[in-house]
Amino acid sequence: AFGSEVTRLPHREGWRVIAFVPASIVPGGKPFREGDLLRISFSRYDADGNGRNPILSSTSPHEAASYHRRHEWLAARLGAAR
């Protein structure tokens, strides 16, 4: 099952995300290994009460308000499981 832990960093702008992703979703069933490099992005939209004027918050530097722009996702090296 998917899981995540999101923490707002005290006294700093930003946040930290720890994500748990099952290896079964990887094409070919190859498990993740410590040190693997993945391209990822954690994003969310915030909008006013009418659903207009969306604001994209993301770990990636998107040039447009669309988190599907995979070429703008950042590289992340996998660490050891906790």
Side-chain angles (χ1 to χ4, degrees), residues 4-81:
S4 65
E5 175 185 313
V6 180
T7 307
R8 184 157 180 79
L9 301 176
H11 310 296
R12 295 177 15 194
E13 284 191 34
W15 37 289
R16 174 179 51 206
V17 175
I18 299 172
F20 304 93
V21 180
S24 61
I25 69 164
V26 178
K30 178 182 171 191
F32 295 123
R33 293 185 181 190
E34 183 177 352
D36 283 354
L37 192 64
L38 303 177
R39 296 198 56 86
I40 61 171
S41 183
F42 295 95
S43 305
R44 75 175 202 199
Y45 281 111
D46 292 311
D48 62 21
N50 296 319
R52 290 179 288 222
N53 304 314
I55 298 169
L56 174 64
S57 298
S58 180
T59 59
S60 300
H62 295 294
E63 294 182 13
S66 174
Y67 55 81
H68 297 288
R69 298 168 57 93
R70 294 181 68 160
H71 63 283
E72 296 170 343
W73 291 10
L74 299 177
R77 188 159 313 276
L78 297 180

